[in-house]
């Protein structure tokens, strides 16, 4: 799939100037800000194409299968994440955990990984906060059975999003929130942010999750997916105590490490601002 994405980007870039310069911007941003290796130039340029191909592949697979399609790589990823949660619950049975996949590879791939965590833990429901528009490739209903999608826009209930997430977290002991959402990506509904340092530069990240963590004593489990040589994998970070004063900087460190290690698969790639500013302090 990676090869198809690269060929597709190269072909269209011959005729589409905007397409070509979007790819170049993706690569040069990674090169200049995150020390992206030269040999990853084409992977970075074609990252958006690969994302859409993976999204479509997963969506079509779910439509054709009876229920959720259990890809072997995703089953293994879900089990690894579930094992970490099970270990936490073995010591603290009532501990609340927020899974925090970072924005890498594909949004649908991340949802599929959450399904496998849900299945491994035997949970009936899991809530996930999502800013992805509904039904991009057809009905999402078959892709998200048992997952309660809490949309950040478009449902008329954004002001109660935190309350709904807290209720779901209390109910299931697990919820999902992408803690690395970049401030610029929410310009329509500006987010409150907290100041951190990322890769030696002043930055800002979403602050709501830390307020919730302090109130509810929540543990955050950050991770991100990778896709190399046609296989999915996961990079897990150490759990973060959200009530701790150092939590924002620890999350920022996870985001920074992911950007330096696998920028080419970041879904926000190509936006030089990224975490460098915020619409609202």
């Amino acid at each position: 799939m990676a090869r198809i994405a690269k060929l597709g980007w190269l072909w269209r870039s011959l005729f589409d100037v905007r397409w070509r310069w979007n790819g170049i911007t993706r690569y040069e941003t990674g090169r200049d800000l995150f020390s992206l290796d030269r040999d990853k130039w084409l992977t970075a340029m074609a990252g958006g194409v690969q994302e859409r191909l993976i999204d479509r592949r997963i969506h079509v697979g779910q439509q054709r299968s009876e229920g959720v399609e259990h890809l072997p790589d995703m089953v293994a990823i879900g089990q690894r994440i579930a094992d970490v949660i099970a270990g936490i619950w073995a010591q603290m049975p009532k501990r609340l955990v927020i899974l925090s996949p970072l924005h890498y590879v594909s949004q649908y791939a991340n949802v599929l990984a959450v399904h496998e965590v849900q299945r491994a833990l035997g949970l009936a429901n899991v809530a996930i906060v999502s800013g992805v528009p509904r039904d991009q490739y057809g009905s999402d209903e078959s892709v998200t059975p048992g997952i309660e999608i809490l949309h950040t826009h478009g449902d008329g209930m954004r002001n109660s999003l935190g309350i709904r997430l807290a209720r779901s977290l209390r109910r299931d002991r697990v919820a999902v929130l992408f803690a690395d959402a970049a401030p610029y990506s929410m310009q329509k509904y500006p987010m409150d942010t907290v100041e951190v340092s990322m890769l030696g530069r002043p930055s800002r990240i979403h602050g709501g999750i830390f307020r919730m963590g302090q109130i509810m004593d929540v543990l955050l489990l950050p991770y991100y997916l990778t896709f190399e040589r046609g296989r999915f994998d996961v990079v897990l970070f150490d759990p973060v105590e959200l009530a701790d004063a150092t939590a924002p900087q620890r999350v920022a460190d996870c985001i920074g490490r992911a950007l330096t290690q696998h920028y080419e698969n970041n879904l926000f790639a190509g936006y030089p601002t990224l975490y460098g500013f915020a619409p609202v302090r």
Side-chain angles (χ1 to χ4, degrees):
M1 190 172 294
R3 184 175 297 177
I4 295 173
K6 292 174 183 177
L7 290 173
W9 183 86
L10 285 169
W11 174 255
R12 183 167 173 178
S13 67
L14 294 174
F15 311 100
D16 190 328
V17 175
R18 184 183 297 274
W19 184 271
R20 179 166 65 252
W21 279 104
N22 282 343
I24 291 172
T25 300
R26 287 176 63 97
Y27 166 66
E28 291 186 346
T29 301
R31 180 196 63 190
D32 297 342
L33 298 182
F34 308 114
S35 302
L36 182 68
D37 292 339
R38 171 63 183 172
D39 61 359
K40 293 183 177 179
W41 69 274
L42 186 52
T43 303
M45 290 182 180
V49 182
Q50 177 176 280
E51 175 195 351
R52 288 187 287 275
L53 287 174
I54 292 173
D55 282 347
R56 288 190 176 96
R57 162 61 185 87
I58 290 174
H59 206 285
V60 170
Q62 305 294 66
Q63 298 288 350
R64 291 181 176 178
S65 62
E66 295 181 2
V68 178
E69 182 183 21
H70 300 292
L71 301 177
D73 290 352
M74 288 300 178
V75 172
I77 288 170
Q79 189 62 59
R80 284 183 60 186
I81 298 170
D83 287 344
V84 175
I85 298 174
I88 293 169
W89 285 347
Q91 298 180 19
M92 300 170 283
K94 295 185 179 181
R95 195 63 196 272
L96 305 179
V97 178
I98 291 181
L99 295 181
S100 182
L102 306 186
H103 284 83
Y104 281 79
V105 179
S106 152
Q107 291 282 51
Y108 281 105
N110 278 294
V111 171
L112 202 57
V114 170
H115 266 304
E116 297 301 343
V117 175
Q118 177 186 5
R119 190 165 72 106
L121 293 174
L123 301 175
N125 299 284
V126 171
I128 178 170
V129 178
S130 172
V132 177
R134 296 177 178 87
D135 302 335
Q136 291 189 93
Y137 306 107
S139 175
D140 288 341
E141 185 175 353
S142 63
V143 186
T144 58
I147 291 185
E148 179 186 0
I149 303 295
L150 305 178
H151 284 279
T152 59
H153 59 80
D155 60 3
M157 300 178 65
R158 187 176 186 276
N159 290 337
S160 64
L161 182 62
I163 296 174
R164 288 185 289 154
L165 177 62
R167 287 174 177 170
S168 299
L169 185 57
R170 289 289 189 192
R171 179 192 67 201
D172 306 317
R173 291 187 296 165
V174 176
V176 183
L177 185 146
F178 293 77
D180 69 327
Y184 85 87
S185 67
M186 296 290 288
Q187 69 269 21
K188 185 176 180 181
Y189 299 102
M191 62 169 72
D192 292 325
T193 58
V194 59
E195 187 172 355
V196 294
S197 175
M198 196 177 299
L199 303 175
R201 292 184 290 272
S203 305
R204 302 192 72 86
I205 60 175
H206 191 280
I209 191 172
F210 302 109
R211 292 197 300 274
M212 177 178 289
Q214 291 169 357
I215 295 171
M216 301 178 67
D217 191 25
V218 181
L219 200 64
L220 186 78
L221 181 58
Y223 66 90
Y224 68 94
L225 299 182
T226 64
F227 185 74
E228 296 177 334
R229 298 182 177 87
R231 301 295 300 273
F232 292 100
D233 205 349
V234 64
V235 176
L236 286 161
F237 295 106
D238 292 334
V240 177
E241 292 277 359
L242 289 178
D244 195 295
T246 64
Q249 187 56 54
R250 289 190 60 192
V251 172
D253 290 342
C254 294
I255 296 171
R257 284 170 57 190
L259 284 169
T260 56
Q261 293 168 0
H262 288 93
Y263 165 86
E264 65 276 11
N265 287 327
N266 184 270
L267 304 187
F268 295 134
Y271 293 87
T273 54
L274 277 180
Y275 304 97
F277 79 100
V280 176
R281 291 182 65 87

